[in-house]
């Protein structure tokens, strides 16, 4: 099919692409394949995450209805406790507010982007 669309990557704005790429490479077990002051790329086992430098970058606030986070990343994990230890050691912070702690914990990466570690990999009914 000539009009096929496939997700290529997700790109996150940030103040330091190299540092954020190193963080996500450590978290997902990926490899930094491109890094400079303006752009960095992590190739992971299940896809690619890109990072672009944005002057004056302001991180989202969680939870704050006046500050939209626009999007966040969800990572499926089988052992939340072990994965939590890994992401915290890599530089993440765990938010106090956890709206769905039965299956998902919310963290911030070093640039302030929220991301989730979840044990739920199903589709909504």
């Amino acid at each position: 099919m000539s009009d096929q669309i496939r997700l290529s990557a997700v790109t996150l704005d940030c103040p330091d692409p190299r540092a954020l790429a190193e963080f996500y490479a450590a978290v997902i077990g990926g490899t930094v394949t491109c890094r400079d002051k303006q752009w960095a790329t992590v190739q992971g086992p299940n896809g690619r995450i890109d990072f672009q430098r944005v002057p004056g970058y302001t991180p989202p606030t969680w939870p704050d209805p006046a500050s939209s986070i626009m999007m966040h990343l969800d990572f499926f994990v089988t052992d939340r406790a072990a994965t939590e230890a890994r992401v915290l050691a890599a530089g993440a912070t765990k938010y106090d507010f956890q709206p769905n702690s039965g299956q998902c914990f919310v963290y911030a990466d070093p640039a302030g982007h929220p991301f989730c570690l979840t044990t739920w990999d199903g589709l909504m009914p």
Side-chain angles (χ1 to χ4, degrees):
M1 175 186 312
S2 64
D3 63 345
Q4 182 180 9
I5 296 174
R6 178 179 61 87
L7 180 64
S8 173
V10 174
T11 303
L12 300 178
D13 293 350
C14 61
D16 184 347
R18 292 180 288 196
L20 203 54
E22 293 295 337
F23 169 80
Y24 278 102
V27 166
I28 67 170
T31 303
V32 179
T33 59
C34 171
R35 80 180 63 140
D36 64 36
K37 290 183 77 169
Q38 301 301 319
W39 187 269
T41 297
V42 170
Q43 184 63 51
N46 295 31
R48 190 176 95 207
I49 307 173
D50 295 324
F51 309 91
Q52 65 183 355
R53 182 179 181 278
V54 173
Y57 169 79
T58 303
T61 304
W62 168 268
D64 180 358
S67 173
S68 174
I69 61 171
M70 301 300 284
M71 64 163 278
H72 68 272
L73 301 173
D74 288 339
F75 296 102
F76 175 74
V77 301
T78 55
D79 184 337
R80 276 194 309 179
T83 309
E84 176 175 335
R86 187 166 86 218
V87 301
L88 294 175
T93 55
K94 187 174 182 181
Y95 285 109
D96 292 331
F97 178 66
Q98 297 292 328
N100 193 15
S101 62
Q103 65 191 25
C104 178
F105 289 144
V106 186
Y107 304 83
D109 69 22
H113 302 104
F115 70 92
C116 296
L117 300 180
T118 183
T119 56
W120 185 72
D121 196 26
L123 298 175
M124 296 302 273

